[in-house]
Structures are given as structure tokens and as C-alpha cells.
Amino acid sequence: MNDQRPITIVIAIVLVGVVLLTKLFLIQVADDSFLKRAERNAIQRVVDHPYRGLVNDRNGNIMVYNNPIFDLMIIPKEFSVRDTSRFCEIFQISKEELIEGYTAARKYSSVKPSPLIKQISTSEFAKIQDYLIDYPGLFVMTRAVRSYPQPSAANALGYIGEISATQLERDTLKYYRQGDYVGLSGIEGFYEKELRGKKGVKYKMVNVRGIDKGSFKGGELDTASIAGHNLTSTIDIELQKYGEMLMEGKRGSVVAIEPKTGEILSMISAPSYDPNVLTGSKFGTNYLLLNRDESRPLFNRPIMAMYPPGSIFKIVQSLVGLQMGVLTPNTTYACNRSLVACHNHSSPVNLFGAIRNSCNPYYHQAYRAMINREVSSSTFKDTEIGLNAWREYVLKFGLGGPLGIDMYNEKGGSIPSSTLYDRVYGPGRWKYSTIYSLSIGQGEMLVTPLQMANLAAIFANKGYYYVPHLIKAIDGDSRRIPEKYRTKVEVGVDAHHFDMVQDAMEQAIFGTAARAAIKDIAIAGKTGTAQNPQGEDHSVFIAFAPKEDPKIAIAVYVENAGWGGRAAASTASLMIEKYLRGEITRPSLEEYVLAGKFM
């Protein structure tokens, strides 16, 4: 019985083989209908590009949507044209462009489609669609370009463009093909995977003249594209537009954050541009113009510009000193102007008075007490130890490195360590007199406007923050944003230390920042004038409001505008009122900011 089993298997295999060979003979030799059908028709694989996800502001207002465009595709092996001049006239391209496009397509593949003319508008397509039947090897692929109903938030939203060869090489999943469009900056770039959707494929039969003969196998093999996920931004578009209006004609940044969540309410980079100019067929030309503009509208100042924080940093110094136990609310120093320059105010002052009056000599002396704690008998070694210990406290405030916003290319600023000074001066050859400018936020210290707005949120929250971010929900679900944007970050300073600091910041509004005061809204803020070796100083201001239940924290940098109590404080105050009240009750202050005559 066991001897017969192999024979049975062999017989079965032979019978299957005979059946298959007979079928092939009937198809390929006896019946030529299959061959004739193949000769009459070609199967064309057409990629169905999905619509990118939409972007709405925090209140449901549309910020980014899609407009259909068309790419004229060419299959070089099938393409033929008898009258080149007529072809170029119909499709509005030069003979050189036709030759160049055909050559590039053939170099890529003679049998696969490549774009010949990209981003044809709906009106332009209407003029050429009836002529496509005359040119085999040509067909149209529908795509979409981004459109912006409000010409705002360009640097935050970013733009899309054709994928580069380098990006194609990095695409290990092989999702993209030559000619595809991807997010290149801003939200479009960071959330590319969420926005792009999923491609579909359609198989069509066309005859030798390129005429569509219907779906192959009735569409049995087709797959539908799936649109990208819709994003809800944290931005309030009305506040964003208002801030951009205030910053028109100026250079600088405005960043406003909801303290309790880290959601960015507005992120203004000035000067900016209309995001609609970086869409459609004019993308390349307009990008070059923007890139060559000396005012650098493509430079995203809120996350890329780095400045000395100036006097704003005195609040950080106060909290670090309190946490270290070096300072108390009653610690008093004289306003000794032989140490460092200062403006007129009473002397001596305690910590409250130092914050209120922004006393430079106070922080010169307080910082020295933090650095030189007589840990070593060598003043050089003692300063090195003190600086590194102090730096660890400061880094916890989100300074000295990128915060991790949902955008690429964020800069981290600089909080100098002993390594930097060893490299510049040599080990053991620098002491407190070398670094004292750090006491008032100058010297080698650099921060970004985003980091300063985050500081304002920390002061508002009494010691914690959420990493600032631009997207609050994906398809309406807030749990789908990255977890780090939902995780509280403690800065390591006891909450009770913030009480006195907040009170002093409220009083500072009536001292160095009187223009920022708003009737019936308690604001806590701090001015700064960041030194600028290349020209006029930068005007800086941070604040949060209302003081007892903060809804908005803000940082404003206006380059080359001088004292922080003028340009920056005025701009911030107007933004706060606009957000909390929805209207402006001080038209004269608005006119002052719009005029831009601060010096």
C-alpha cells in the first residue's frame, strides 16, 4: 500500500501539467483573440493621488484647503506628434520645453508616465482637454494644491513642493515617486504622514490612440485613495491676523501661548508673506524671489532667531536664587552704578523692588552670590563650579536647547557653560568679572522668541509648562497628538516662590511698562532691552494675563526698536486685549504701534 502512494502523486502532477499546457496552447496558438485584444488595447496604471488633510484653526475656521490642478503626463514609448508647432501652441509650451520634458521622461522610463506639464489650472485644462485624443501617450493626472482663505500664518503653516532626489532616497517605504508633492516646512512638513493620505491605483484600458476604453476587469483591481487626516491647529486666526497687522513694516516676532496647555495661539514672524504665492505653477519663481528678499520673509524668527533675553532674564535669576537659598524676598542690595549702568529709581531695593524697577546692579550682586559660594579657595575654580551648578537650574526652564515644537529647524539658543569659557580664555583663566553680563541676560546667552513665550507660561503656571505646539487634535481627537505635548514639565522651582515674583511683575507694568496697562485686566509682565552690537537695541516684553487665572502668555521682540516698554510692551498689550476682549478699547495705542515710530 505504501509502495503505491508515490506513483499516485506522480500521476496527479502529470495530469495537472497536461491540463495547463493544453490551456496555454489553446490561448496562444489555437485562439488568437487574446493576442488581438492585447494589440488593440494597453493597460494603463494610473495613480489616484489623495487629497491632503485640511487644517482648521482652534475655532473651526478653515486655514488650509485643496484646489484641484492637473498634470499632463507622457509615456514616451507611446507618444507621437506630427505638427510640433501646433502642439506647442495648443499646450502653451515652447519647442525647447517639449524636447526637454520628453527627454527627461524618456530618461526616467520609456514605458512609465512622467509629468510633461505640471500644475495646470482648471481654466487652462478646459482649453486643452478636447485635444488630448489627438496625441497618444498623453493623459491627465488630477492633483491638488493648497489654498489659503486667509493670507496669514505662512511660516507656521509651511508649504508643499515637489519631492527632491535626496528625499526620495530617504523614503525607505517607497511611498513617494518622482514628481510627488510633500510638505517641506511648518505644519505641512512636520505632519506630512498625517496629511498626505493613502494613494489609490486605477487600471484603465486604452487603445493605440490613447482613447480610454474603460476600466480593466471592470475595476476589480482598482483601489481607492484615502484622504489625509484633518488637523485642528492651536492658532486663533483672528488673533494671528491682528498681530501680523501690528507687526507690518517691522522685523521681529510675537508668540502667544495658552499657559495651561502649551497651545500656541499665534506665532508671528515679521516680515512674512502671503502663503498663496507658494502654490501652483509659480512656486519656483516666487520661492526664488522670497529667498532673495533681504528682509528674509522665509526666515521663521519665532523658532530660528536668537537674541540675548535682556532684562527679562532677571525673573529667571530671581527664581533660581530663591530656589538655591541664596536669595529671599528681603535680600537687599544697593543700586551701585559703578558696577553696571542703571536707570533712576530708589536705592537700596529688595528682590521685589529689583524686579519692579529692573535694577541692573542688584542682579550683578545677586548673581555673584549664586556663582561664588566659596566652594573652592580658588576664585577661578569657584566660579567654574558655581556657573555649572547655576546652569543646571536654568536649563530646566526650557533654555539652552530646542523645546521640541511640532516644527522642524527649531534653534535652541545658548546658556554658556564652563566649557565655552575654557575654550575662549583657557582653563582656570576666567572668573566672575568675565561672565557678569549673564546676570542681566546679556553676554553669551541667547534665546528664541518661542523660549521667551514659554518662560511667560512658566511664570503664569507657577513652575511648569507644556511643550509649545501648533496642533491640538487630529481628526478631532486630541489624544492623537504626540504624547510629549500632553505631558507636564516641571522646572524644579517651588510654586510658592512664584507668588512674590508674580506680584512684582504686576507692579512692573506700572513702572517700566506703563503702556501695557489695561483697565480691568491684571497683567503681569517684564520689559527688556536686548543689546545689539549691529545697531539699535531690540525691544522685548513678556507677560501673562489675567494674573489670577492666566489665559494667555506672550513674548514680543521688535528688532531695533529700543526700549522694551515702548514697541514690545505696547504690541503685547494690544494682543492680550484682542484675545481676552475680542476688541480694542485704546485706538490711540494701536495707532502708535502701527506708526512704528518708537525711537
Side-chain angles (χ1 to χ4, degrees):
M1 184 175 180
N2 291 337
D3 293 340
Q4 293 178 350
R5 184 173 299 170
I7 296 172
T8 303
I9 294 172
V10 170
I11 291 171
I13 292 172
V14 170
L15 288 173
V16 171
V18 169
V19 170
L20 290 174
L21 288 170
T22 302
K23 185 68 175 176
L24 286 172
F25 175 81
L26 291 172
I27 291 174
Q28 296 182 6
V29 179
D31 183 2
D32 63 353
S33 62
F34 183 86
L35 177 61
K36 290 179 179 178
R37 183 182 177 189
E39 289 174 345
R40 287 197 309 267
N41 300 287
I43 298 171
Q44 196 177 84
R45 183 180 185 272
V46 180
V47 176
D48 183 15
H49 289 272
Y51 279 103
R52 286 179 75 84
L54 308 180
V55 182
N56 297 316
D57 87 334
R58 65 188 297 110
N59 299 312
N61 299 304
I62 191 73
M63 295 178 72
V64 188
Y65 67 97
N66 300 296
N67 257 343
I69 58 164
F70 307 90
D71 285 353
L72 183 64
M73 310 298 290
I74 182 172
I75 301 174
K77 189 175 182 180
E78 301 176 11
F79 178 70
S80 65
V81 56
R82 295 177 180 175
D83 188 339
T84 304
S85 298
R86 182 172 182 271
F87 180 92
C88 292
E89 182 182 351
I90 291 170
F91 293 96
Q92 292 296 295
I93 61 172
S94 67
K95 184 177 179 180
E96 292 74 19
E97 289 171 328
L98 173 60
I99 294 171
E100 183 181 338
Y102 176 82
T103 303
R106 189 174 181 83
K107 184 178 180 181
Y108 168 67
S109 172
S110 63
V111 296
K112 293 181 180 180
S114 295
L116 178 64
I117 304 176
K118 299 176 182 177
Q119 301 193 15
I120 302 169
S121 68
T122 304
S123 60
E124 291 168 337
F125 174 66
K127 298 175 183 177
I128 66 171
Q129 61 179 335
D130 292 337
Y131 296 99
L132 293 175
I133 194 173
D134 297 331
Y135 299 99
L138 291 184
F139 69 95
V140 168
M141 181 181 292
T142 304
R143 293 179 183 268
V145 292
R146 301 301 244 173
S147 291
Y148 308 87
Q150 307 286 352
S152 297
N155 291 95
L157 293 171
Y159 51 85
I160 65 172
E162 190 170 334
I163 193 167
S164 67
T166 303
Q167 289 171 311
L168 278 173
E169 289 177 5
R170 292 201 301 259
D171 178 25
T172 56
L173 298 177
K174 303 302 179 184
Y175 175 87
Y176 299 103
R177 296 291 182 268
Q178 182 181 350
D180 282 353
Y181 298 98
V182 298
L184 297 177
S185 68
I187 290 171
E188 294 279 14
F190 193 90
Y191 289 96
E192 166 65 17
K193 289 182 180 179
E194 289 78 11
L195 288 166
R196 72 187 182 189
K198 185 177 180 181
K199 293 177 181 177
V201 177
K202 295 179 180 179
Y203 295 92
K204 293 183 177 182
M205 292 189 300
V206 295
N207 64 15
V208 292
R209 298 195 64 204
I211 298 174
D212 190 344
K213 305 296 289 183
S215 299
F216 177 65
K217 288 191 174 181
E220 184 181 321
L221 302 179
D222 294 354
T223 57
S225 62
I226 300 174
H229 298 293
N230 295 329
L231 305 183
T232 301
S233 175
T234 61
I235 288 176
D236 182 319
I237 193 62
E238 294 303 320
L239 184 68
Q240 178 78 19
K241 289 193 298 182
Y242 183 69
E244 290 180 2
M245 181 188 75
L246 294 177
M247 292 296 290
E248 191 171 340
K250 308 172 184 67
R251 295 192 187 193
S253 303
V254 179
V255 181
I257 296 174
E258 184 179 69
K260 292 182 176 64
T261 62
E263 295 175 2
I264 296 173
L265 303 172
S266 69
M267 191 169 79
I268 296 154
S269 181
S272 187
Y273 61 95
D274 182 346
N276 288 292
V277 304
L278 291 185
T279 63
S281 58
K282 298 293 185 181
F283 174 90
T285 302
N286 290 335
Y287 181 85
L288 285 176
L289 290 173
L290 289 171
N291 197 41
R292 292 170 180 169
D293 190 328
E294 292 183 357
S295 66
R296 303 179 72 189
L298 292 175
F299 183 61
N300 195 353
R301 285 174 167 81
I303 65 169
M304 299 179 73
M306 296 185 290
Y307 314 89
S311 292
I312 288 171
F313 192 71
K314 293 171 182 175
I315 306 174
V316 177
Q317 295 283 44
S318 301
L319 290 165
V320 171
L322 289 167
Q323 188 65 27
M324 291 175 69
V326 174
L327 299 178
T328 71
N330 295 319
T331 300
T332 303
Y333 291 108
C335 182
N336 183 354
R337 297 175 194 176
S338 66
L339 297 173
V340 61
C342 196
H343 47 271
N344 293 324
H345 63 81
S346 60
S347 177
V349 290
N350 59 14
L351 184 54
F352 183 98
I355 296 172
R356 185 186 188 281
N357 296 295
S358 196
C359 180
N360 291 335
Y362 184 99
Y363 286 97
H364 183 288
Q365 296 167 87
Y367 186 49
R368 183 164 198 160
M370 292 182 232
I371 299 300
N372 292 140
R373 305 189 69 182
E374 299 182 357
V375 176
S376 172
S377 58
S378 166
T379 185
F380 300 101
K381 188 65 178 177
D382 194 48
T383 301
E384 177 188 339
I385 294 170
L387 176 67
N388 289 336
W390 165 85
R391 185 174 184 269
E392 290 304 310
Y393 281 98
V394 174
L395 293 179
K396 293 179 180 178
F397 282 79
L399 304 176
L403 281 165
I405 186 177
D406 44 356
M407 298 182 78
Y408 295 125
N409 301 315
E410 180 195 0
K411 302 299 183 183
S414 174
I415 303 298
S417 67
S418 59
T419 304
L420 171 65
Y421 295 110
D422 284 347
R423 188 166 63 247
V424 175
Y425 300 102
R429 302 186 64 182
W430 54 275
K431 54 184 179 178
Y432 182 75
S433 59
T434 311
I435 65 169
Y436 76 89
S437 59
L438 299 178
S439 66
I440 55 174
Q442 297 292 162
E444 295 75 22
M445 186 183 300
L446 294 171
V447 298
T448 65
L450 178 68
Q451 289 173 326
M452 297 309 289
N454 192 57
L455 280 182
I458 292 170
F459 303 147
N461 293 333
K462 295 186 177 182
Y464 70 87
Y465 68 94
Y466 289 89
V467 175
H469 51 284
L470 286 161
I471 296 300
K472 65 181 297 179
I474 300 174
D475 285 338
D477 188 352
S478 61
R479 294 168 300 182
R480 294 179 63 181
I481 67 170
E483 186 178 353
K484 71 176 181 178
Y485 301 127
R486 297 178 278 121
T487 303
K488 183 185 290 188
V489 182
E490 303 280 353
V491 301
V493 174
D494 297 339
H496 68 87
H497 289 315
F498 286 84
D499 294 334
M500 182 276 296
V501 172
Q502 284 190 350
D503 291 341
M505 290 176 69
E506 181 181 19
Q507 287 300 308
I509 296 297
F510 302 100
T512 59
R515 284 182 175 84
I518 307 174
K519 185 179 180 181
D520 299 328
I521 297 179
I523 299 177
K526 181 72 185 74
T527 58
T529 306
Q531 294 178 7
N532 175 30
Q534 283 76 43
E536 297 291 344
D537 293 340
H538 304 314
S539 180
V540 190
F541 184 71
I542 66 170
F544 61 87
K547 175 174 172 278
E548 298 305 325
D549 184 20
K551 300 288 194 306
I552 181 172
I554 191 167
V556 178
Y557 271 78
V558 184
E559 295 182 14
N560 312 121
W563 184 40
R566 294 175 182 159
S570 301
T571 302
S573 178
L574 289 168
M575 290 284 287
I576 290 171
E577 185 177 25
K578 180 70 173 178
Y579 183 67
L580 296 179
R581 286 181 172 162
E583 61 180 1
I584 297 300
T585 60
R586 299 162 296 163
S588 60
L589 184 65
E590 187 178 72
E591 291 173 7
Y592 169 75
V593 172
L594 291 173
K597 297 178 180 179
F598 305 117
M599 300 300 293

